[in-house]
Amino acid sequence: MKSKIFSNIIRRLTEIQKIADLSDKEVHLLLTPKRILKTQLKVGNEKLPAWRILFNDALGPGKGGVRFHPEVCQDEVMSLAFWMMIKDSLAGLPYGGAKGGVRFDPKKASSQTLEMVSRKFVDAFYKFLGQDKDIPAPDVYTNSQIMAWMLDEYEKKIGRHQPAMITGKPLELQGCLLRADATARGGYVIIGEMIKEFGLKKKGLKVAVQGFGNAGSNLARMLGKSGVSLVAVSDSRGGIFNKNGLDIDQVIQTKTEAGSVSAYADGEKIDNASLLKLSVDVLVLAALENQITRENADEVKAKYVVEIANGPVTYEADKILFSKGVTVVPDVLANSGGVTVSYFEWAQNRTGNILDREYLEKLLDKKMSASWAKTLSVYKEHGRKIDLRTAAYLIAIKRILAAEKLRGTLR
Ligand code: NAD
């Protein structure tokens, strides 16, 4: 299944080529990664495949997370790097797109192994990383501790401090106050804009959230407290459903104590496949890619799907949902709060300024609302005949191509 991600990106760009009247040369440039680094990290007796891919850097240094997961492959990292390129451009950030990954199961690894993998990742790629080259951050199953080990290894290699080479760091190592729930907060702002735009009412709005990690659990917490009815959540081990709404603080406590939301007592156990088909108003996808596919898209009953994960709706599923009148709020818009706060962190590290939480929250909310407004305006310019993803891509691609032209890469 995963090997099809990038081929779907190609199909999407072929479609966008017609709408935006792009030349073959422009499309070729947009679909060609600038640098693919691949190695194997020797950890104990094992050799773990690892990648760092810089997709495009016309707008600035590469930016994108590092994923530790047993199914990481080159096609996935390349697709994630492409989406970062689009996301960073749409958000108006001075970054290109990049991503990294290591194929192993971090859940089965000791803390010592996690540290060794993190350090070896930097050891392998450090010549290509840096505040003006390519800046990693957390992604699935990586966190601020892993960023701390990576920073430490990098600084040892270069023999001086350079905190801006990585974001999502702990506060003590010059991280940013908002980073822990940045993606969730950004998604929350976008859901608020969606509610306003489409005339929905928060009270009684039924919401289900797939994925209960950094992004999903923080967003579920914000939604649970906002007046909507959060009826279902899930993680990799299964989910929980209560038609009268879940007590989100209790669910978070269950997850902390038992390791999975599915151990929560006040509700019905459901599996991930069933959560996607629930009769809810809004379905939030915050786990992994390829969750709604052509096999299950017809069974989605939600009228609004919000992509907090990267790539959870496949190209074919997008078409089916569009034809059913389902609004999909795309990943490159809905989850851009994470990278936006990474930008705040990077800028703070570079200038030495430390900004307070209130200021950063306002700035993030403003930037998220501006991205929503831009996307909506292109969507409306096209008579609402394109989906929101296409609108977002049109804006992002225009900015990247303008930078490429100014640099003389495209003539
Ligand atoms: P995380 O590692 O903190 O959590 C991942 C969650 O997904 C876990 O709760 C896990 O149990 C769950 N999960 C895994 N497989 C699942 C499955 N098949 N069904 C249901 N749940 C499953 O990761 P995260 O940082 O929250 O990232 C989640 C998604 O959001 C990823 O696609 C990531 O790329 C995207 N994202 C995250 C950030 C961020 O800042 N954390 C930013 C942008 C995008």
Side-chain angles (χ1 to χ4, degrees):
M1 176 104 79
K2 278 204 169 162
S3 63
K4 282 165 74 185
I5 312 178
F6 201 75
S7 62
N8 281 329
I9 287 177
I10 297 174
R11 289 168 79 181
R12 205 177 288 288
L13 267 246
T14 309
E15 193 181 287
I16 286 176
Q17 177 170 20
K18 291 185 201 124
I19 302 170
D21 198 19
L22 302 176
S23 69
D24 288 345
K25 206 170 159 188
E26 286 170 325
V27 174
H28 179 75
L29 189 136
L30 290 167
L31 287 174
T32 309
K34 180 160 182 182
R35 185 170 66 218
I36 298 178
L37 301 171
K38 184 183 176 200
T39 191
Q40 293 199 321
L41 310 180
K42 198 165 176 321
V43 177
N45 295 327
E46 286 186 85
K47 286 184 177 164
L48 313 178
W51 291 265
R52 184 70 193 175
I53 300 183
L54 173 71
F55 208 96
N56 185 287
D57 64 352
L59 292 169
K63 185 86 194 81
V66 182
R67 178 172 293 197
F68 288 175
H69 194 275
E71 285 165 33
V72 167
C73 63
Q74 185 161 313
D75 182 78
E76 179 185 48
V77 181
M78 196 161 90
S79 304
L80 288 163
F82 172 89
W83 289 325
M84 283 309 298
M85 166 183 87
I86 299 290
K87 191 188 306 181
D88 293 342
S89 176
L90 176 68
L93 301 176
Y95 295 138
K99 204 85 181 189
V102 185
R103 190 193 299 155
F104 79 114
D105 190 349
K107 286 189 185 170
K108 294 190 184 140
S110 64
S111 173
Q112 285 91 327
T113 304
L114 287 177
E115 178 172 353
M116 202 185 293
V117 174
S118 309
R119 290 189 184 277
K120 293 218 165 184
F121 181 87
V122 172
D123 188 39
F125 300 133
Y126 80 95
K127 285 194 183 133
F128 301 92
L129 303 176
Q131 62 181 16
D132 295 314
K133 293 182 186 172
D134 183 357
I135 308 144
D139 188 64
V140 174
Y141 299 151
T142 54
N143 54 27
S144 59
Q145 173 62 75
I146 288 170
M147 301 305 110
W149 288 322
M150 289 186 171
L151 172 69
D152 185 64
E153 191 61 28
Y154 183 80
E155 291 184 339
K156 277 185 180 137
K157 288 267 175 304
I158 65 165
R160 67 194 139 88
H161 287 289
Q162 197 193 103
M165 68 74 55
I166 199 160
T167 60
K169 300 180 290 291
L171 279 178
E172 296 79 357
L173 296 178
Q174 303 190 44
C176 179
L177 280 167
L178 287 199
R179 188 59 180 84
D181 55 10
T183 303
R185 188 179 172 102
Y188 183 72
V189 172
I190 293 293
I191 292 173
E193 293 288 359
M194 180 189 88
I195 287 173
K196 258 194 275 166
E197 176 68 31
F198 296 105
L200 310 175
K201 289 212 169 51
K202 257 193 188 162
K203 197 166 168 9
L205 194 76
K206 286 200 173 78
V207 184
V209 178
Q210 184 203 39
F212 211 71
N214 174 288
S217 69
N218 281 310
L219 181 56
R221 177 175 49 78
M222 291 172 197
L223 287 168
K225 294 190 188 315
S226 75
V228 308
S229 180
L230 186 68
V231 294
V233 296
S234 68
D235 58 34
S236 60
R237 294 199 224 159
I240 191 84
F241 169 69
N242 185 332
K243 67 175 178 5
N244 300 317
L246 299 163
D247 179 333
I248 192 63
D249 288 335
Q250 296 290 326
V251 178
I252 291 172
Q253 199 178 328
T254 306
K255 170 88 179 165
T256 313
E257 287 167 8
S260 172
V261 295
S262 59
Y264 181 66
D266 188 20
E268 221 177 282
K269 281 192 187 351
I270 48 165
D271 59 22
N272 268 294
S274 320
L275 180 137
L276 302 175
K277 300 174 198 164
L278 286 174
S279 284
V280 289
D281 302 300
V282 181
L283 175 61
V284 177
L285 302 169
L288 291 170
E289 56 269 13
N290 289 350
Q291 297 302 302
I292 313 256
T293 64
R294 69 171 173 201
E295 277 82 34
N296 63 358
D298 240 345
E299 295 171 273
V300 170
K301 296 183 193 69
K303 279 273 163 239
Y304 299 88
V305 172
V306 180
E307 294 184 324
I308 296 297
N310 288 303
V313 176
T314 67
Y315 175 79
E316 283 148 338
D318 234 5
K319 302 282 143 204
I320 298 169
L321 294 178
F322 189 69
S323 70
K324 282 178 21 146
V326 177
T327 299
V328 177
V329 182
D331 45 10
V332 291
L333 171 63
N335 72 26
S336 62
V339 72
T340 302
V341 171
S342 273
Y343 163 67
F344 299 162
E345 183 176 334
W346 177 80
Q348 280 191 165
N349 293 159
R350 303 200 70 168
T351 56
N353 282 343
I354 298 175
L355 303 167
D356 67 47
R357 176 178 281 276
E358 204 187 350
Y359 175 80
L360 291 167
E361 282 178 350
K362 274 202 190 122
L363 196 58
L364 173 62
D365 295 357
K366 204 168 133 191
K367 283 189 170 294
M368 294 305 300
S369 293
S371 293
W372 170 266
K374 268 193 291 192
T375 307
L376 255 280
S377 109
V378 170
Y379 167 68
K380 288 178 185 168
E381 266 167 35
H382 283 80
R384 300 172 192 257
K385 292 199 174 73
I386 56 171
D387 55 21
L388 291 177
R389 191 187 320 273
T390 306
Y393 274 48
L394 289 172
I395 298 162
I397 285 171
K398 195 170 168 190
R399 184 166 172 244
I400 297 161
L401 292 178
E404 293 283 16
K405 280 180 192 144
L406 288 164
R407 287 177 183 280
T409 329
L410 272 175
R411 288 181 206 279

